[in-house]
Amino acid sequence: MAKKLTGVTKLARAVQDKSLEEKQPATELKGRQKPKLKNFRLTGVDIMRLQKLTEAVNKESERQISETAVIKGLIILGEKTNTEKLLKMIREAW
């Protein structure tokens, strides 16, 4: 005679977990995500600034650091910076 299933099945739990993830916004990034291409237009002055900054970072680093890595570092630094200070720098750049 077949046993009657009781409790929640793995499939039901998976569906429930997925629905909870969709309802709750992700507040933290999980590990490495697939990179998405994002283009930015920079003026000649901005490109020179980025190159100088990359050169300065490479002098201090043991390994070669790319411009992309510098930009990512600046984004993280911007997250940790006071918003008013960041806004002031943006206004000076324009």
Side-chain angles (χ1 to χ4, degrees):
M1 184 178 255
K3 267 186 150 179
K4 186 175 182 179
L5 295 176
T6 58
V8 180
T9 64
K10 289 181 184 177
L11 179 59
R13 269 186 270 151
V15 170
Q16 184 181 17
D17 290 344
K18 189 172 182 177
S19 66
L20 286 176
E21 287 176 2
E22 291 173 355
K23 290 179 184 175
Q24 297 173 349
T27 55
E28 293 190 27
L29 301 176
K30 297 179 184 177
R32 289 200 164 218
Q33 297 178 352
K34 185 177 178 183
K36 296 179 182 177
L37 294 177
K38 182 72 175 179
N39 297 322
F40 297 95
R41 292 179 187 252
L42 300 175
T43 63
V45 174
D46 294 330
I47 292 172
M48 287 177 43
R49 286 178 179 161
L50 179 59
Q51 289 172 344
K52 285 182 181 179
L53 187 57
T54 304
E55 288 173 13
V57 169
N58 279 320
K59 286 180 184 176
E60 297 293 323
S61 176
E62 295 176 3
R63 63 179 181 90
Q64 187 71 18
I65 305 294
S66 68
E67 290 178 347
T68 302
V70 171
I71 291 171
K72 288 179 180 180
L74 290 170
I75 290 170
I76 293 169
L77 188 62
E79 284 181 334
K80 296 177 181 181
T81 303
N82 183 352
T83 310
E84 293 173 4
K85 186 176 180 181
L86 186 59
L87 187 58
K88 181 181 174 186
M89 291 295 137
I90 292 170
R91 287 182 179 144
E92 286 180 13
W94 288 98

Coordinates of all heavy atoms in Angstrom, one line a residue:
M1 N 0.8 -1.2 0.0 CA 0.0 0.0 0.0 C 0.9 1.2 0.0 O 1.9 1.3 0.7 CB -0.9 0.0 1.2 CG -1.9 1.1 1.3 SD -2.9 1.0 2.7 CE -4.4 0.4 1.9
A2 N 0.5 2.2 -0.8 CA 1.3 3.5 -0.9 C 1.1 4.3 0.3 O 0.1 4.4 1.0 CB 0.8 4.2 -2.1
K3 N 2.2 5.0 0.7 CA 2.2 5.9 1.8 C 1.7 7.2 1.4 O 1.9 7.7 0.3 CB 3.7 6.1 2.3 CG 4.1 5.2 3.4 CD 5.5 5.7 3.8 CE 5.7 5.3 5.2 NZ 7.0 5.7 5.7
K4 N 0.9 7.8 2.3 CA 0.4 9.1 2.0 C 1.5 10.2 2.4 O 2.1 10.1 3.5 CB -0.9 9.4 2.9 CG -1.6 10.6 2.6 CD -2.9 10.8 3.3 CE -3.5 12.1 2.9 NZ -4.8 12.2 3.6
L5 N 1.7 11.1 1.5 CA 2.7 12.2 1.7 C 2.1 13.2 2.7 O 1.0 13.6 2.5 CB 3.1 12.8 0.4 CG 3.8 12.0 -0.6 CD1 4.0 12.8 -1.9 CD2 5.1 11.5 -0.1
T6 N 3.0 13.6 3.6 CA 2.6 14.6 4.5 C 3.7 15.7 4.5 O 4.8 15.4 4.2 CB 2.4 14.1 6.0 OG1 3.7 13.4 6.3 CG2 1.3 13.0 6.0
G7 N 3.3 16.8 4.9 CA 4.3 17.9 5.0 C 4.4 18.6 3.6 O 3.7 18.4 2.7
V8 N 5.5 19.4 3.5 CA 5.7 20.2 2.3 C 6.8 19.5 1.4 O 7.8 19.1 1.9 CB 6.2 21.6 2.6 CG1 6.4 22.5 1.4 CG2 5.2 22.3 3.6
T9 N 6.5 19.3 0.1 CA 7.4 18.7 -0.8 C 8.5 19.7 -1.2 O 8.4 20.9 -1.0 CB 6.7 18.2 -2.1 OG1 6.2 19.4 -2.7 CG2 5.6 17.3 -1.7
K10 N 9.6 19.1 -1.8 CA 10.7 20.0 -2.2 C 10.3 21.0 -3.3 O 10.7 22.1 -3.3 CB 11.8 19.1 -2.8 CG 12.6 18.3 -1.7 CD 13.7 17.5 -2.4 CE 14.4 16.6 -1.4 NZ 15.4 15.8 -2.1
L11 N 9.4 20.5 -4.2 CA 8.9 21.4 -5.2 C 8.1 22.5 -4.6 O 8.3 23.7 -5.0 CB 8.1 20.6 -6.2 CG 7.5 21.3 -7.4 CD1 8.6 22.0 -8.2 CD2 6.6 20.4 -8.2
A12 N 7.3 22.2 -3.7 CA 6.4 23.3 -3.1 C 7.3 24.3 -2.3 O 7.1 25.5 -2.4 CB 5.4 22.7 -2.1
R13 N 8.4 23.8 -1.7 CA 9.3 24.7 -1.0 C 10.1 25.6 -2.0 O 10.3 26.8 -1.7 CB 10.3 23.9 -0.1 CG 9.8 23.7 1.3 CD 10.9 23.0 2.1 NE 10.6 21.6 2.0 CZ 11.5 20.7 2.1 NH1 12.8 21.0 2.3 NH2 11.2 19.4 1.9
A14 N 10.5 25.0 -3.1 CA 11.2 25.8 -4.1 C 10.3 26.9 -4.7 O 10.8 28.0 -4.9 CB 11.7 24.8 -5.2
V15 N 9.1 26.5 -5.0 CA 8.2 27.5 -5.5 C 7.9 28.6 -4.5 O 7.9 29.8 -4.8 CB 6.8 26.9 -5.9 CG1 5.8 27.9 -6.2 CG2 7.0 26.0 -7.1
Q16 N 7.8 28.2 -3.2 CA 7.5 29.2 -2.1 C 8.8 30.1 -2.0 O 8.6 31.3 -1.9 CB 7.2 28.5 -0.8 CG 6.9 29.4 0.3 CD 6.6 28.7 1.6 OE1 7.0 27.5 1.7 NE2 6.0 29.3 2.5
D17 N 10.0 29.5 -2.0 CA 11.2 30.3 -1.9 C 11.3 31.3 -3.0 O 11.7 32.5 -2.8 CB 12.4 29.4 -1.8 CG 12.5 28.6 -0.5 OD1 11.8 29.0 0.5 OD2 13.2 27.6 -0.4
K18 N 11.0 30.9 -4.2 CA 11.1 31.7 -5.4 C 10.2 32.9 -5.3 O 10.5 34.0 -5.6 CB 10.9 30.9 -6.7 CG 11.2 31.7 -7.9 CD 11.2 30.9 -9.1 CE 11.5 31.7 -10.3 NZ 11.5 30.9 -11.6
S19 N 9.0 32.6 -4.8 CA 8.0 33.7 -4.7 C 8.4 34.7 -3.6 O 8.1 35.9 -3.8 CB 6.6 33.2 -4.4 OG 6.5 32.5 -3.2
L20 N 9.0 34.2 -2.6 CA 9.5 35.1 -1.5 C 10.6 36.0 -2.0 O 10.7 37.2 -1.7 CB 10.0 34.4 -0.3 CG 8.9 33.7 0.6 CD1 9.5 32.9 1.7 CD2 8.0 34.8 1.2
E21 N 11.5 35.5 -2.9 CA 12.6 36.2 -3.4 C 12.1 37.3 -4.3 O 12.6 38.4 -4.4 CB 13.6 35.3 -4.2 CG 14.4 34.4 -3.3 CD 15.3 33.5 -4.2 OE1 15.2 33.6 -5.4 OE2 16.0 32.7 -3.5
E22 N 11.0 37.0 -5.1 CA 10.5 38.0 -6.0 C 9.8 39.2 -5.2 O 9.8 40.3 -5.7 CB 9.5 37.4 -6.9 CG 10.1 36.4 -7.9 CD 9.1 35.7 -8.8 OE1 7.9 35.8 -8.5 OE2 9.5 34.9 -9.7
K23 N 9.2 38.9 -4.1 CA 8.5 39.9 -3.3 C 9.5 40.8 -2.6 O 9.2 42.0 -2.4 CB 7.6 39.2 -2.3 CG 6.4 38.6 -3.0 CD 5.5 37.9 -1.9 CE 4.4 37.2 -2.6 NZ 3.5 36.4 -1.6
Q24 N 10.6 40.2 -2.1 CA 11.6 41.0 -1.3 C 12.7 41.5 -2.3 O 13.3 40.8 -3.0 CB 12.2 40.1 -0.3 CG 11.3 39.6 0.8 CD 11.9 38.6 1.7 OE1 13.0 38.2 1.5 NE2 11.2 38.3 2.8
P25 N 12.9 42.9 -2.2 CA 14.0 43.4 -3.1 C 15.3 43.0 -2.5 O 15.5 42.9 -1.3 CB 13.8 44.9 -3.0 CG 13.0 45.1 -1.7 CD 12.2 43.9 -1.5
A26 N 16.2 42.7 -3.4 CA 17.6 42.3 -3.0 C 18.3 43.6 -2.6 O 18.5 44.5 -3.3 CB 18.3 41.7 -4.2
T27 N 18.8 43.6 -1.3 CA 19.5 44.7 -0.8 C 21.0 44.6 -0.9 O 21.7 45.6 -0.9 CB 19.1 44.9 0.7 OG1 19.4 43.7 1.4 CG2 17.7 45.3 0.9
E28 N 21.4 43.4 -1.0 CA 22.9 43.1 -1.2 C 23.1 42.3 -2.5 O 22.3 41.5 -2.9 CB 23.4 42.4 0.0 CG 23.4 43.2 1.3 CD 24.2 42.5 2.4 OE1 25.1 41.8 2.1 OE2 23.8 42.7 3.5
L29 N 24.2 42.6 -3.1 CA 24.6 41.9 -4.3 C 25.2 40.5 -3.9 O 25.9 40.4 -3.0 CB 25.6 42.7 -5.1 CG 25.2 44.1 -5.5 CD1 26.4 44.8 -6.2 CD2 24.0 44.0 -6.5
K30 N 24.8 39.5 -4.7 CA 25.2 38.2 -4.4 C 26.4 37.8 -5.3 O 26.2 37.7 -6.5 CB 24.1 37.2 -4.6 CG 22.9 37.3 -3.7 CD 21.9 36.3 -4.1 CE 20.6 36.5 -3.2 NZ 19.6 35.6 -3.6
G31 N 27.6 37.6 -4.7 CA 28.7 37.1 -5.5 C 28.9 37.8 -6.8 O 28.6 38.9 -7.0
R32 N 29.5 37.1 -7.7 CA 29.8 37.6 -9.1 C 28.6 37.4 -9.9 O 28.0 36.4 -10.0 CB 31.0 36.9 -9.7 CG 32.3 37.3 -9.0 CD 33.4 37.0 -9.9 NE 34.6 37.7 -9.4 CZ 35.4 38.3 -10.2 NH1 35.3 38.2 -11.5 NH2 36.5 38.9 -9.7
Q33 N 28.2 38.5 -10.6 CA 27.1 38.5 -11.5 C 27.7 38.6 -12.9 O 28.8 39.1 -13.1 CB 26.1 39.6 -11.2 CG 25.5 39.5 -9.9 CD 24.6 40.7 -9.6 OE1 24.5 41.6 -10.4 NE2 23.8 40.6 -8.5
K34 N 26.9 38.2 -13.9 CA 27.3 38.3 -15.3 C 27.4 39.8 -15.6 O 26.5 40.5 -15.4 CB 26.3 37.6 -16.2 CG 26.7 37.6 -17.6 CD 25.7 36.8 -18.5 CE 26.1 36.9 -19.9 NZ 25.2 36.2 -20.8
P35 N 28.6 40.2 -16.1 CA 28.7 41.6 -16.4 C 27.8 42.1 -17.5 O 27.5 41.3 -18.5 CB 30.2 41.8 -16.9 CG 30.7 40.4 -17.0 CD 29.8 39.4 -16.4
K36 N 27.3 43.3 -17.4 CA 26.5 43.9 -18.4 C 27.2 45.1 -19.0 O 27.8 45.8 -18.3 CB 25.1 44.4 -17.8 CG 24.3 43.2 -17.3 CD 23.0 43.7 -16.7 CE 22.2 42.6 -16.2 NZ 21.0 43.0 -15.5
L37 N 27.1 45.2 -20.3 CA 27.8 46.3 -21.0 C 27.1 47.7 -20.7 O 25.9 47.7 -20.7 CB 27.9 46.1 -22.5 CG 28.8 44.9 -22.9 CD1 28.7 44.8 -24.4 CD2 30.2 45.1 -22.5
K38 N 27.9 48.7 -20.3 CA 27.3 50.0 -20.1 C 28.4 51.0 -20.6 O 29.5 51.0 -20.3 CB 27.2 50.2 -18.6 CG 26.6 51.5 -18.2 CD 25.1 51.6 -18.6 CE 24.5 52.9 -18.1 NZ 23.1 53.0 -18.4
N39 N 27.9 51.8 -21.5 CA 28.8 52.8 -22.2 C 28.6 54.2 -21.6 O 27.5 54.6 -21.2 CB 28.5 52.9 -23.7 CG 28.7 51.6 -24.4 OD1 29.7 50.9 -24.1 ND2 27.8 51.2 -25.3
F40 N 29.7 54.9 -21.5 CA 29.7 56.3 -21.0 C 30.5 57.1 -22.0 O 31.4 56.7 -22.6 CB 30.4 56.3 -19.7 CG 29.7 55.6 -18.6 CD1 30.1 54.3 -18.3 CD2 28.7 56.1 -17.9 CE1 29.5 53.5 -17.3 CE2 28.0 55.4 -16.9 CZ 28.4 54.1 -16.6
R41 N 30.0 58.4 -22.2 CA 30.7 59.3 -23.0 C 31.5 60.2 -22.1 O 31.0 60.9 -21.2 CB 29.7 60.2 -23.8 CG 29.0 59.4 -24.8 CD 28.0 60.3 -25.5 NE 27.1 59.5 -26.4 CZ 27.2 59.6 -27.7 NH1 28.1 60.3 -28.3 NH2 26.5 58.8 -28.5
L42 N 32.8 60.2 -22.3 CA 33.7 61.0 -21.5 C 34.4 62.1 -22.4 O 34.7 61.8 -23.6 CB 34.8 60.2 -20.9 CG 34.3 59.1 -19.9 CD1 35.5 58.2 -19.5 CD2 33.6 59.7 -18.7
T43 N 34.6 63.2 -21.9 CA 35.3 64.3 -22.7 C 36.8 63.9 -22.6 O 37.3 63.1 -21.9 CB 35.1 65.7 -22.0 OG1 35.6 65.7 -20.7 CG2 33.6 66.0 -22.0
G44 N 37.6 64.7 -23.4 CA 39.0 64.5 -23.5 C 39.7 64.7 -22.1 O 40.6 63.9 -21.7
V45 N 39.2 65.7 -21.4 CA 39.7 66.0 -20.1 C 39.4 64.8 -19.1 O 40.3 64.4 -18.3 CB 39.1 67.3 -19.5 CG1 39.5 67.6 -18.1 CG2 39.5 68.5 -20.4
D46 N 38.2 64.3 -19.2 CA 37.8 63.2 -18.3 C 38.7 61.9 -18.6 O 39.1 61.2 -17.7 CB 36.4 62.8 -18.4 CG 35.5 63.9 -17.9 OD1 35.9 64.7 -17.0 OD2 34.4 64.1 -18.5
I47 N 39.0 61.7 -19.9 CA 39.8 60.6 -20.2 C 41.2 60.7 -19.7 O 41.8 59.8 -19.2 CB 39.8 60.4 -21.8 CG1 38.4 59.9 -22.2 CG2 40.8 59.4 -22.2 CD1 38.2 59.9 -23.7
M48 N 41.7 62.0 -19.8 CA 43.1 62.2 -19.3 C 43.1 62.0 -17.8 O 44.1 61.5 -17.2 CB 43.5 63.7 -19.6 CG 43.9 63.8 -21.1 SD 44.3 65.5 -21.6 CE 45.3 66.1 -20.3
R49 N 42.1 62.5 -17.1 CA 42.0 62.3 -15.6 C 42.0 60.8 -15.3 O 42.7 60.4 -14.3 CB 40.7 62.9 -15.1 CG 40.7 64.4 -15.0 CD 39.4 64.9 -14.4 NE 39.4 66.3 -14.3 CZ 38.3 67.1 -14.2 NH1 37.1 66.5 -14.2 NH2 38.3 68.4 -14.1
L50 N 41.2 60.0 -16.0 CA 41.1 58.6 -15.8 C 42.5 57.9 -16.0 O 42.9 57.1 -15.3 CB 40.0 58.0 -16.6 CG 39.9 56.5 -16.5 CD1 39.5 56.1 -15.1 CD2 38.8 56.0 -17.5
Q51 N 43.2 58.3 -17.1 CA 44.5 57.8 -17.4 C 45.5 58.1 -16.3 O 46.3 57.2 -15.9 CB 44.9 58.2 -18.8 CG 44.2 57.6 -19.9 CD 44.5 58.3 -21.3 OE1 45.1 59.3 -21.3 NE2 44.1 57.6 -22.3
K52 N 45.5 59.4 -15.9 CA 46.4 59.8 -14.8 C 46.1 59.0 -13.5 O 47.0 58.6 -12.8 CB 46.3 61.3 -14.6 CG 47.0 62.1 -15.6 CD 46.9 63.6 -15.3 CE 47.5 64.5 -16.3 NZ 47.4 65.9 -16.0
L53 N 44.9 58.9 -13.2 CA 44.5 58.1 -12.0 C 44.9 56.7 -12.1 O 45.4 56.1 -11.1 CB 43.0 58.3 -11.8 CG 42.4 57.7 -10.5 CD1 43.1 58.3 -9.3 CD2 40.9 57.9 -10.4
T54 N 44.7 56.1 -13.3 CA 45.1 54.7 -13.5 C 46.6 54.5 -13.4 O 47.1 53.6 -12.7 CB 44.6 54.2 -14.9 OG1 43.2 54.4 -15.0 CG2 44.9 52.7 -15.1
E55 N 47.4 55.4 -13.9 CA 48.8 55.4 -13.8 C 49.2 55.5 -12.3 O 50.1 54.8 -11.9 CB 49.4 56.5 -14.6 CG 49.4 56.3 -16.1 CD 49.9 57.6 -16.9 OE1 50.5 58.5 -16.3 OE2 49.6 57.6 -18.1
A56 N 48.6 56.4 -11.6 CA 49.0 56.6 -10.2 C 48.7 55.3 -9.4 O 49.4 54.9 -8.5 CB 48.2 57.8 -9.6
V57 N 47.5 54.7 -9.7 CA 47.2 53.4 -9.0 C 48.1 52.3 -9.3 O 48.5 51.5 -8.5 CB 45.7 53.0 -9.3 CG1 45.4 51.6 -8.8 CG2 44.7 54.0 -8.7
N58 N 48.5 52.3 -10.6 CA 49.4 51.2 -11.0 C 50.8 51.4 -10.4 O 51.5 50.4 -10.2 CB 49.5 51.2 -12.6 CG 48.4 50.4 -13.2 OD1 48.0 49.4 -12.7 ND2 47.9 51.0 -14.3
K59 N 51.2 52.6 -10.1 CA 52.5 52.8 -9.4 C 52.5 52.2 -8.0 O 53.5 51.7 -7.6 CB 52.9 54.3 -9.4 CG 53.3 54.9 -10.7 CD 53.6 56.3 -10.6 CE 54.0 56.9 -11.9 NZ 54.2 58.4 -11.9
E60 N 51.4 52.3 -7.4 CA 51.2 51.8 -6.0 C 50.9 50.3 -6.0 O 51.1 49.6 -5.0 CB 50.1 52.5 -5.3 CG 50.4 54.0 -5.1 CD 51.5 54.3 -4.2 OE1 51.7 53.5 -3.2 OE2 52.3 55.2 -4.4
S61 N 50.4 49.7 -7.1 CA 49.9 48.4 -7.1 C 51.1 47.4 -7.5 O 52.0 47.8 -8.3 CB 48.8 48.2 -8.0 OG 48.4 46.9 -8.2
E62 N 51.0 46.2 -7.1 CA 51.9 45.2 -7.5 C 51.6 44.6 -8.8 O 52.4 44.0 -9.5 CB 52.0 44.0 -6.4 CG 52.5 44.5 -5.1 CD 52.5 43.4 -4.1 OE1 52.1 42.2 -4.4 OE2 52.8 43.7 -2.9
R63 N 50.3 44.6 -9.2 CA 49.9 44.1 -10.5 C 49.2 45.2 -11.3 O 48.9 46.3 -10.8 CB 48.9 42.9 -10.3 CG 47.6 43.3 -9.6 CD 46.7 42.0 -9.5 NE 45.5 42.4 -8.9 CZ 44.4 42.8 -9.6 NH1 44.4 42.9 -10.9 NH2 43.3 43.1 -9.0
Q64 N 49.1 44.9 -12.6 CA 48.5 45.9 -13.5 C 47.0 46.1 -13.2 O 46.2 45.1 -13.1 CB 48.7 45.5 -15.0 CG 48.3 46.5 -16.0 CD 49.2 47.6 -16.1 OE1 50.3 47.6 -15.6 NE2 48.7 48.7 -16.7
I65 N 46.6 47.3 -13.1 CA 45.2 47.7 -12.8 C 44.6 48.4 -14.0 O 45.2 49.3 -14.6 CB 45.0 48.6 -11.6 CG1 45.7 48.0 -10.3 CG2 43.6 49.0 -11.3 CD1 45.0 46.8 -9.8
S66 N 43.4 47.9 -14.5 CA 42.8 48.5 -15.7 C 42.0 49.7 -15.4 O 41.7 49.9 -14.2 CB 41.9 47.4 -16.4 OG 40.8 47.2 -15.6
E67 N 41.7 50.5 -16.4 CA 40.8 51.6 -16.2 C 39.4 51.2 -15.7 O 38.8 51.9 -14.9 CB 40.7 52.4 -17.5 CG 42.0 53.1 -17.9 CD 41.8 53.8 -19.2 OE1 40.9 53.6 -20.0 OE2 42.7 54.6 -19.5
T68 N 39.0 50.0 -16.2 CA 37.7 49.5 -15.7 C 37.7 49.3 -14.2 O 36.8 49.6 -13.5 CB 37.3 48.2 -16.5 OG1 37.3 48.5 -17.9 CG2 36.0 47.7 -16.0
A69 N 38.8 48.7 -13.7 CA 38.9 48.4 -12.3 C 39.0 49.7 -11.5 O 38.4 49.8 -10.4 CB 40.2 47.6 -12.0
V70 N 39.6 50.7 -12.0 CA 39.6 52.0 -11.4 C 38.2 52.6 -11.3 O 37.8 53.1 -10.2 CB 40.6 53.0 -12.1 CG1 40.5 54.4 -11.5 CG2 42.1 52.5 -12.0
I71 N 37.5 52.5 -12.4 CA 36.1 53.0 -12.4 C 35.3 52.3 -11.4 O 34.5 52.9 -10.6 CB 35.5 53.0 -13.8 CG1 36.2 53.9 -14.7 CG2 34.0 53.2 -13.8 CD1 35.8 53.8 -16.2
K72 N 35.4 51.0 -11.3 CA 34.7 50.2 -10.3 C 35.0 50.6 -8.9 O 34.2 50.7 -8.0 CB 34.9 48.7 -10.5 CG 34.3 48.1 -11.7 CD 34.6 46.6 -11.9 CE 34.0 46.0 -13.1 NZ 34.3 44.6 -13.2
G73 N 36.3 50.8 -8.7 CA 36.8 51.3 -7.4 C 36.2 52.7 -7.0 O 35.8 52.9 -5.9
L74 N 36.1 53.6 -8.0 CA 35.5 54.9 -7.8 C 34.0 54.8 -7.5 O 33.5 55.5 -6.7 CB 35.7 55.8 -9.0 CG 37.2 56.2 -9.2 CD1 37.3 56.9 -10.6 CD2 37.6 57.1 -8.1
I75 N 33.3 53.8 -8.1 CA 31.9 53.6 -7.8 C 31.7 53.2 -6.3 O 30.9 53.7 -5.6 CB 31.3 52.6 -8.8 CG1 31.2 53.2 -10.2 CG2 29.9 52.1 -8.3 CD1 30.8 52.2 -11.2
I76 N 32.5 52.3 -5.9 CA 32.5 51.8 -4.5 C 32.8 52.9 -3.5 O 32.2 53.1 -2.5 CB 33.4 50.6 -4.3 CG1 32.9 49.4 -5.1 CG2 33.5 50.2 -2.8 CD1 33.8 48.2 -5.1
L77 N 33.8 53.7 -3.9 CA 34.2 54.9 -3.1 C 33.1 55.9 -3.0 O 32.8 56.5 -2.0 CB 35.5 55.5 -3.7 CG 36.1 56.6 -2.9 CD1 36.6 56.1 -1.5 CD2 37.3 57.2 -3.7
G78 N 32.4 56.1 -4.2 CA 31.2 57.0 -4.2 C 30.1 56.5 -3.3 O 29.4 57.3 -2.7
E79 N 29.9 55.2 -3.2 CA 28.9 54.7 -2.3 C 29.2 55.0 -0.8 O 28.3 55.2 0.0 CB 28.8 53.1 -2.4 CG 28.1 52.7 -3.6 CD 28.0 51.1 -3.7 OE1 28.8 50.5 -3.1 OE2 27.1 50.7 -4.3
K80 N 30.4 55.0 -0.5 CA 30.9 55.3 0.9 C 31.0 56.8 1.2 O 31.2 57.1 2.4 CB 32.2 54.5 1.2 CG 32.0 53.0 1.1 CD 33.3 52.4 1.3 CE 33.2 50.9 1.1 NZ 34.4 50.1 1.4
T81 N 31.0 57.6 0.2 CA 31.2 59.0 0.4 C 29.9 59.7 0.7 O 28.8 59.3 0.3 CB 31.8 59.6 -0.9 OG1 33.0 58.9 -1.3 CG2 32.1 61.1 -0.8
N82 N 30.0 60.8 1.5 CA 28.9 61.7 1.8 C 28.2 62.2 0.5 O 28.9 62.6 -0.4 CB 29.4 62.8 2.6 CG 28.2 63.7 3.1 OD1 27.1 63.6 2.7 ND2 28.6 64.6 4.0
T83 N 26.9 62.1 0.4 CA 26.2 62.4 -0.8 C 26.4 63.9 -1.2 O 26.5 64.2 -2.3 CB 24.7 62.1 -0.6 OG1 24.5 60.8 -0.1 CG2 24.0 62.3 -1.9
E84 N 26.4 64.8 -0.2 CA 26.6 66.2 -0.4 C 28.0 66.5 -1.1 O 28.1 67.3 -2.0 CB 26.5 67.0 0.9 CG 25.1 67.0 1.4 CD 25.0 67.6 2.8 OE1 26.0 68.2 3.3 OE2 23.9 67.6 3.4
K85 N 29.0 65.8 -0.6 CA 30.3 65.9 -1.1 C 30.4 65.4 -2.5 O 31.0 66.1 -3.4 CB 31.3 65.1 -0.2 CG 32.8 65.3 -0.6 CD 33.7 64.6 0.4 CE 35.1 64.8 0.1 NZ 36.0 64.1 1.0
L86 N 29.8 64.3 -2.8 CA 29.7 63.7 -4.2 C 29.0 64.7 -5.1 O 29.5 64.9 -6.2 CB 29.1 62.4 -4.1 CG 29.1 61.6 -5.4 CD1 30.5 61.3 -5.9 CD2 28.4 60.3 -5.2
L87 N 27.9 65.2 -4.7 CA 27.1 66.2 -5.5 C 27.9 67.4 -5.8 O 27.9 68.0 -6.9 CB 25.8 66.5 -4.8 CG 24.8 67.4 -5.6 CD1 24.4 66.7 -6.9 CD2 23.6 67.6 -4.8
K88 N 28.7 67.9 -4.8 CA 29.6 69.1 -5.0 C 30.6 68.8 -6.1 O 30.9 69.6 -7.0 CB 30.3 69.4 -3.7 CG 31.2 70.6 -3.8 CD 31.8 70.9 -2.5 CE 32.9 72.0 -2.6 NZ 33.6 72.2 -1.4
M89 N 31.2 67.6 -6.1 CA 32.2 67.2 -7.1 C 31.6 67.1 -8.5 O 32.2 67.5 -9.5 CB 32.9 65.9 -6.7 CG 33.8 65.9 -5.5 SD 35.2 67.0 -5.9 CE 35.2 67.9 -4.4
I90 N 30.4 66.6 -8.6 CA 29.6 66.5 -9.8 C 29.4 67.8 -10.4 O 29.6 68.1 -11.6 CB 28.3 65.7 -9.7 CG1 28.6 64.2 -9.3 CG2 27.5 65.8 -10.9 CD1 27.5 63.4 -8.9
R91 N 29.0 68.8 -9.6 CA 28.7 70.1 -10.0 C 30.0 70.8 -10.5 O 29.9 71.5 -11.5 CB 28.1 71.0 -8.9 CG 26.6 70.6 -8.7 CD 26.0 71.4 -7.6 NE 24.6 71.0 -7.4 CZ 24.0 71.0 -6.2 NH1 24.7 71.4 -5.1 NH2 22.8 70.7 -6.1
E92 N 31.1 70.5 -9.9 CA 32.4 71.1 -10.3 C 32.8 70.5 -11.7 O 33.4 71.2 -12.5 CB 33.5 70.9 -9.3 CG 33.3 71.7 -8.1 CD 34.4 71.5 -7.0 OE1 35.4 70.8 -7.4 OE2 34.3 71.9 -5.9
A93 N 32.5 69.3 -11.9 CA 32.9 68.6 -13.2 C 32.1 69.2 -14.3 O 32.6 69.2 -15.5 CB 32.7 67.1 -13.0
W94 N 30.9 69.6 -14.1 CA 30.1 70.1 -15.2 C 30.3 71.6 -15.4 O 30.2 72.3 -16.2 CB 28.6 69.9 -15.0 CG 28.2 68.5 -15.1 CD1 28.1 67.6 -14.1 CD2 28.0 67.7 -16.3 NE1 27.8 66.3 -14.6 CE2 27.7 66.4 -15.9 CE3 28.0 68.1 -17.6 CZ2 27.5 65.4 -16.9 CZ3 27.7 67.1 -18.6 CH2 27.4 65.8 -18.2

